[in-house]
Amino acid sequence: MEKTSNIIPRPLYLKKIEPFIGKNLIKTLVGQRRVGKSYILKSIAEIEKTRNPDSNIININLEDFAFSHIKNSTDLYEEVKKKIIEGKQNLIFIDEIQEVLDFDKVVRSLILDDRNDVYISGSNSKMLSTDISSSLSGRNIEIRVHPLSYEEFLHFHKMQDSDDSLNDYIRYGGMPYLINLNNKETWMEYLNGLTDAIVYRDIIHRHSIRNTDFLQRLLSFLSDNIGQLFSSKKIVDYLKSQRLNTTVGAVQNYISYIEEACIVNKVKRWDIEGKRFFEIGEKIFFEDPGIRNSIVGLRPNDLPGLMENLVYNHLKLSGYNVKVGRFTDGREIDFIAEKNGEIQYFQVATSLIEEKTIEREFGNLLDIPDNYGKYVITYRDSAPVSYKGIKSLNLREFLMQIS
């Protein structure tokens, strides 16, 4: 891929999109607000302008006040149509398209013309997936955009791979805009403001939520319990202990709103012996650790959960389907990751210094009756390097090598 000017490219996403450039498909980028979707669209526009200078680029960012006159699908369609040049290849980029009701009707109409190459982005996963899949089945390719990976974080901030760099990534996460803030003291201030904006615009405003205190306490609970099994009933009991009465249904609805805004991901438990999903009990992980830390702060005892969060995020970014493993006797495998029919198992531990920790983490993996890859990931130390065929590596090695 050619390098674009004034934009730091993200090859992972450009490589995913490149096979579909120029094809009569809707290219949909979905991800948390401010995760870099707009810049990926700009990268594609610059690349295509270099390859085909005669192409017509149409950019519509529905967060831009210049397009505030677009109130509905008719307005959007008329705005695009007046910018289309007949007889040319039209590359149409519409950013934050979920702001427009019935937007799917617009893009469905646009791709009737083979010379229209359409790209859209949005920060509500359910709305985009549901609207597009129902009306554009077979005509859409969806790509999930995540915060910066650890390797991207190092590249963006011109850092070397080191313990200090990893600690910065754990603390501040991978929101791309941090590159524009030279003073790290302002990074968390930015993340606090971003979290407020996401919660207000993508949850409270969109779903007309009045009980904002309930939402904030729920977010705090989820932030406090990353890497821990939870159920809606458990959350209800906790909130009641905080003198906030609610129901299981309300908790489930609010979690779905948070998930739709691409703030968190739910991971189901898999019965290793019974080969089925458990109906109750899941784990929650945040798309970005910096957003999580902006909600409840960063404390020393948060490290185990944050390590699991980073491992989960990296596996998802690398294209794995991920679930939590569970034995009948209650023992846990932190992650079962599957891709292209191959499975890998992962245990996460802050350290392998204590013998009982080594026995527990490696022992659980040894009890899995297959020959797929098995790993134990630690914070810094990775000794022993292997144990009865199971590999050990530290978190930095994992974030830089596993793909």
Side-chain angles (χ1 to χ4, degrees):
M1 277 251 175
E2 298 92 338
K3 184 176 181 179
T4 57
S5 59
N6 302 319
I7 297 173
I8 302 176
R10 299 181 70 180
L12 174 67
Y13 300 103
L14 297 179
K15 288 177 182 177
K16 288 181 178 180
I17 297 169
E18 189 171 32
F20 304 102
I21 292 176
K23 301 296 191 296
N24 195 223
L25 294 167
I26 304 298
K27 277 70 73 174
T28 305
L29 274 61
V30 182
Q32 189 179 91
R33 195 176 292 273
R34 298 292 179 268
V35 82
K37 302 184 297 294
S38 300
Y39 281 90
I40 293 172
L41 294 180
K42 290 177 182 177
S43 293
I44 298 166
E46 291 194 10
I47 289 169
E48 280 304 285
K49 198 65 177 177
T50 299
R51 291 177 175 176
N52 184 6
D54 195 44
S55 60
N56 177 39
I57 308 294
I58 300 171
N59 285 306
I60 297 175
N61 185 342
L62 291 167
E63 286 193 313
D64 189 333
F65 186 75
F67 299 105
S68 60
H69 61 283
I70 298 176
K71 305 295 185 184
N72 52 49
S73 57
T74 300
D75 295 339
L76 177 60
Y77 181 74
E78 293 300 326
E79 181 70 23
V80 175
K81 286 296 288 184
K82 74 181 183 182
K83 295 177 182 294
I84 286 177
I85 299 177
E86 298 295 332
K88 284 194 173 186
Q89 181 77 14
N90 296 284
L91 276 77
I92 303 167
F93 300 89
I94 308 174
D95 210 0
E96 297 299 343
I97 198 169
Q98 80 278 347
E99 302 295 339
V100 176
L101 185 65
D102 295 329
F103 68 83
D104 55 305
K105 296 178 181 178
V106 178
V107 294
R108 182 173 58 195
S109 178
L110 291 173
I111 63 170
L112 293 176
D113 187 338
D114 290 342
R115 298 191 67 84
N116 292 336
D117 193 11
V118 181
Y119 302 79
I120 63 176
S121 81
S123 48
N124 186 294
S125 60
K126 181 180 179 181
M127 184 178 295
L128 266 69
S129 297
T130 301
D131 287 355
I132 292 175
S133 63
S134 62
S135 62
L136 295 169
S137 178
R139 305 294 299 275
N140 172 64
I141 178 71
E142 181 179 308
I143 296 170
R144 182 70 178 258
V145 180
H146 302 277
L148 302 178
S149 68
Y150 176 58
E151 193 168 4
E152 286 181 311
F153 177 82
L154 297 177
H155 177 61
F156 267 58
H157 294 281
K158 299 179 180 179
M159 292 178 175
Q160 296 296 315
D161 176 27
S162 67
D163 288 343
D164 287 341
S165 297
L166 177 62
N167 288 338
D168 280 344
Y169 186 62
I170 291 172
R171 177 178 293 275
Y172 300 112
M175 300 308 291
Y177 189 81
L178 294 178
I179 192 176
N180 298 300
L181 305 174
N182 295 325
N183 188 344
K184 287 182 185 177
E185 293 180 0
T186 64
W187 286 14
M188 192 53 69
E189 184 177 342
Y190 165 76
L191 292 171
N192 289 337
L194 176 58
T195 301
D196 289 344
I198 293 172
V199 170
Y200 178 75
R201 296 187 61 178
D202 294 332
I203 302 179
I204 294 175
H205 177 70
R206 183 171 304 285
H207 297 284
S208 301
I209 289 176
R210 295 183 178 181
N211 194 348
T212 58
D213 181 51
F214 172 34
L215 176 63
Q216 294 291 351
R217 292 199 195 189
L218 179 57
L219 279 166
S220 294
F221 178 89
L222 297 177
S223 301
D224 267 330
N225 289 275
I226 52 172
Q228 301 296 316
L229 289 173
F230 81 94
S231 66
S232 297
K233 177 63 166 56
K234 179 179 178 181
I235 295 175
V236 168
D237 291 341
Y238 165 76
L239 293 174
K240 284 183 177 179
S241 74
Q242 301 296 306
R243 298 182 180 179
L244 185 63
N245 289 324
T246 186
T247 65
V248 168
V251 168
Q252 291 174 338
N253 286 337
Y254 275 54
I255 290 178
S256 71
Y257 301 155
I258 297 168
E259 192 175 16
E260 288 166 21
C262 304
I263 297 174
V264 301
N265 297 292
K266 286 191 298 187
V267 188
K268 291 184 176 181
R269 290 189 302 160
W270 176 255
D271 184 343
I272 294 173
E273 291 140 316
K275 306 298 182 183
R276 62 181 177 82
F277 284 108
F278 287 95
E279 294 183 4
I280 299 175
E282 299 165 315
K283 287 190 176 184
I284 284 281
F285 294 106
F286 277 72
E287 270 284 284
D288 184 73
I291 295 295
R292 179 268 173 193
N293 296 337
S294 74
I295 296 172
V296 293
L298 178 61
R299 301 149 299 191
N301 61 353
D302 291 337
L303 182 59
L306 285 167
M307 283 183 62
E308 282 195 37
N309 206 139
L310 292 188
V311 170
Y312 169 80
N313 287 354
H314 192 67
L315 289 170
K316 291 295 290 184
L317 185 67
S318 300
Y320 287 92
N321 292 317
V322 184
K323 50 199 174 189
V324 174
R326 194 82 165 176
F327 289 103
T328 304
D329 61 11
R331 289 177 299 143
E332 183 177 292
I333 300 297
D334 289 327
F335 299 114
I336 303 173
E338 183 272 331
K339 182 168 67 172
N340 300 327
E342 294 292 319
I343 298 174
Q344 297 189 71
Y345 301 93
F346 298 89
Q347 290 287 73
V348 183
T350 54
S351 174
L352 291 177
I353 295 175
E354 296 184 6
E355 186 66 28
K356 64 179 181 180
T357 304
I358 295 174
E359 292 176 357
R360 181 183 68 246
E361 303 299 345
F362 285 96
N364 287 353
L365 292 171
L366 286 169
D367 283 344
I368 299 173
D370 64 39
N371 295 318
Y372 288 117
K374 300 177 177 68
Y375 302 86
V376 175
I377 302 167
T378 62
Y379 178 46
R380 286 182 179 161
D381 63 275
S382 58
V385 175
S386 65
Y387 181 86
K388 295 185 179 180
I390 297 172
K391 297 179 181 178
S392 171
L393 63 165
N394 65 47
L395 184 58
R396 282 171 47 201
E397 291 171 330
F398 170 79
L399 294 177
M400 295 293 287
Q401 295 179 14
I402 296 294
S403 63

